[in-house]
Amino acid sequence: MQKHYFFIIIYLFSFCAIAQKDSLTIQKIMDEAYSFEQNQPQKALRLYTKSHQLSLKSNYSDGAYKSLLYSGIVYSNIGKYDSAQYYYNKCINYCKKTKILIGEAKGYANLANMHQYKGDYSRAVKNYLASIKIFEKTKDSSIISQSYQNLSAIYTQFKNKELEFFYLKKAEQFVPKTNAVQLALLYGDIGLGHIKYKNFVESFDYFKKAETIALKEQNNELWFYVYRNFGEYYRLKKDYTKAIPYYEKAFKLADSSVDIIRKADLIYIVSDVYLKQKNYTRALELANQSLELSKKIGSGELEYKSLKRLSDIHNKLHQPQKAYNYLEESYILMDTVFSQNHVKETTLLQTKFESEKKDKSIAEQQIMLKQQELDLIKSKKEKQLYFIAFIALVVISIGIWYFFKQRQNIKNKEILALQQQQEINTLEALMDGEEKERRRIAQELHDGLNGDLSAIKYRLSTLEEAGLSPIDADNLNKVIDMIDESCAQVRNISHDLMPASILEYGLIETIKEYCFKINSSKKIKIDFQYFGNYIALAKKNETVIYRIIQEMVTNMLKHSKATEAMIQFNYREEELFITVEDNGIGFDKNAITEGIGHKNIKTRVAFLNAQLDSNSSDSGTSYTLSIDLNKTK
């Protein structure tokens, strides 16, 4: 029997050794494939296919899903989106079967990224949200941040400023400070967001933050975006002389640092800068490169814009035939998309081209027409005077109307401000009244009921000297113990009604103490965390925050059936984020009726002028409270 066990052990050790050897071989193949992605993508794809097949044969699930995922990325980088989509979906399906959450989430994220490049924004949003939902389960804050950052880029396309900056803030909230490169790229996106709305000071500050990180990290991809962003900054300020050196530095890093799509986009933008600088040779060179790359990646929109740019350049070079040809080609490409303005522009260039071929007889006809025009000048001037008088009358009327409209708007704003102030005063009065009533009840419990119980205990204690029987003495002791427990419960209720520790120790210590009490009851385990430097607020505001958390935990204990929960404070510069989440059964927002607890929470959130977001599913409920500290100090 012992000999039999010996052979089993030898077999298991040999099996593990073979599996480890296979995984090392597969990893080596994938590393080799990665080195070929930029310069020899087809060779990289063949190696990823080889590593996938070997992973399936060896039951090495990590290698199997990564090979599929990386193949999709290579196809996306070279602009073959159908093939990329095929491999991403294959990766997602494989990870669902093998229950690899991180692989499934990465598949959705890259699929969303690809749809974003193609301009299919509805599918991009759908897949980003699917990936975020899974990433939240894996607690991978780095990838969650990147997904929110990509989501913001979609709403940039729609010029939805509110959602763009909302998701950028969410990205900044989750990005790990240890991931310096990702943080710097996020700073760049925030800077680009500000620059679109002419917030040059804010955008420059974020670009400088990214540059500071780049100096430490020495990462080529990061430097590409730093140079590109500074180029955009000076371009939008129309300081083209300063913009061009940054763009040229970005060009030198493009081939080794970013995919062909970003390179093509940069080339198209910079061709316009050189055009505005009247450097037509360089502008023409870049526009031709942009056209070539647009065809390579199959981007019809970029191809159209590149053809249009070439038309503009040749027009500046006084080459109307070429300008006309490029413009006509661009118009054919986007015939169903663009308006009649392009037809007019094409007609003008066609007319200009044909006019150069007119002979001497046409020129004589033009002289005759000009003579006829001179005869009409007098009548035209009279018409112009009437027209100017009419325009002046219209302008004066509009000015008077605008003046009264602005005056009315100012009055409306004053009324709205008074209404808002009245609402704030009402909320403050409600909060003060509620806290006063809590203090009164707490005082009554502590001084009245607790005092009475203590007096009863004292009177009962004197009975011990009266020579009671052992049974009566035992019952007496039990009654005294019950009175002690009642006193403790009264003290706890009194403390919950008016926690004195807020006044003495502040909000953080009070929440810690509250969580300790809840944990002591063993009904649920609450993990309390806080990050950043504690910023003390007015005691009134800290009390309101404490009441909100207290109400949320009370609801959790009553309804969620949760076994674990978390309360997290995150201080970030001038904002405080508070998260309360549990692993309970969740709730349907549309099915529940709003009770007193929910109304109390909403009232206190309004008092703080804060924002409250909630998310609930069958895996738990999460609340996020965002407080602007400048409005609550």
Side-chain angles (χ1 to χ4, degrees), residues 28 70 124 147 244 283 316 373 376 381 396 414 524 582 625:
K28 187 177 179 181
Y70 298 159
S147 299
I244 285 173
K316 293 289 185 182
E373 288 175 2
L376 296 173
K381 283 185 177 179
I396 292 169
E414 289 175 352
I524 188 172
D582 63 60
L625 181 65

Side-chain angles (χ1 to χ4, degrees), residues 245-306:
Y246 283 108
Y247 282 130
E248 291 293 347
K249 287 179 181 179
F251 279 142
K252 292 178 182 178
L253 297 171
D255 288 329
S256 62
S257 303
V258 294
D259 56 52
I260 191 172
I261 298 167
R262 288 179 174 83
K263 179 182 176 182
D265 184 59
L266 178 65
I267 289 172
Y268 171 76
I269 291 170
V270 182
S271 68
D272 182 57
V273 176
Y274 278 108
L275 177 60
K276 288 183 169 65
Q277 285 286 85
K278 298 183 179 180
N279 186 343
Y280 300 127
T281 303
R282 181 64 170 154
L284 188 61
E285 177 188 352
L286 292 175
N288 279 315
Q289 287 182 31
S290 174
L291 179 62
E292 181 183 348
L293 290 175
S294 69
K295 292 178 179 178
K296 187 173 181 180
I297 64 178
S299 173
E301 183 180 355
L302 182 59
E303 184 179 353
Y304 161 77
K305 292 193 294 186
S306 300

Side-chain angles (χ1 to χ4, degrees), residues 66-174:
K66 285 181 180 179
S67 299
L68 294 171
L69 182 68
Y70 298 159
S71 295
I73 292 171
V74 174
Y75 275 118
S76 182
N77 287 343
I78 61 177
K80 293 186 176 181
Y81 296 126
D82 289 340
S83 298
Q85 185 170 344
Y86 169 79
Y87 278 99
Y88 289 146
N89 284 324
K90 198 171 181 182
C91 171
I92 292 167
N93 292 331
Y94 176 81
C95 290
K96 283 181 177 179
K97 288 180 182 178
T98 52
K99 301 188 183 305
I100 304 174
L101 288 179
I102 190 69
E104 183 183 351
K106 286 181 178 179
Y108 280 123
N110 281 280
L111 191 58
N113 213 14
M114 185 206 71
H115 283 306
Q116 186 175 347
Y117 287 150
K118 292 176 67 179
D120 191 347
Y121 299 120
S122 60
R123 288 189 180 181
V125 170
K126 179 181 176 182
N127 284 288
Y128 277 135
L129 293 175
S131 70
I132 289 170
K133 187 175 181 181
I134 299 171
F135 285 136
E136 285 177 345
K137 293 179 183 177
T138 64
K139 305 296 184 183
D140 193 331
S141 59
S142 178
I143 305 181
I144 294 172
S145 174
Q146 184 63 58
S147 299
Y148 279 129
Q149 190 174 348
N150 291 336
L151 260 178
S152 74
I154 291 177
Y155 290 103
T156 300
Q157 302 291 331
F158 296 130
K159 295 182 173 58
N160 190 327
K161 181 180 178 181
E162 183 178 352
L163 283 176
E164 177 187 354
F165 279 95
F166 171 78
Y167 284 115
L168 284 173
K169 277 192 174 183
K170 295 281 281 186
E172 191 175 5
Q173 180 182 348
F174 281 95

Side-chain angles (χ1 to χ4, degrees), residues 460-517:
L460 289 172
S461 298
T462 60
L463 295 177
E464 292 179 345
E465 301 175 0
L468 299 173
S469 67
I471 295 174
D472 290 337
D474 184 54
N475 288 333
L476 178 62
N477 289 331
K478 287 180 180 178
V479 169
I480 291 172
D481 289 341
M482 290 171 66
I483 291 173
D484 286 337
E485 288 178 5
S486 298
C487 288
Q489 289 180 7
V490 169
R491 281 195 299 273
N492 287 337
I493 294 169
S494 176
H495 183 271
D496 285 342
L497 286 169
M498 190 59 219
S501 56
I502 285 183
L503 300 174
E504 192 170 349
Y505 302 112
L507 179 61
I508 294 297
E509 291 301 321
T510 303
I511 297 296
K512 280 184 182 177
E513 183 183 348
Y514 178 67
C515 291
F516 178 77
K517 283 175 56 183

Side-chain angles (χ1 to χ4, degrees), residues 551-552 555 594-604:
E551 193 68 54
M552 288 177 178
N555 289 340
E594 194 174 79
I596 294 174
H598 281 283
K599 289 179 180 178
N600 286 340
I601 291 173
K602 289 177 69 175
T603 300
R604 291 185 170 95

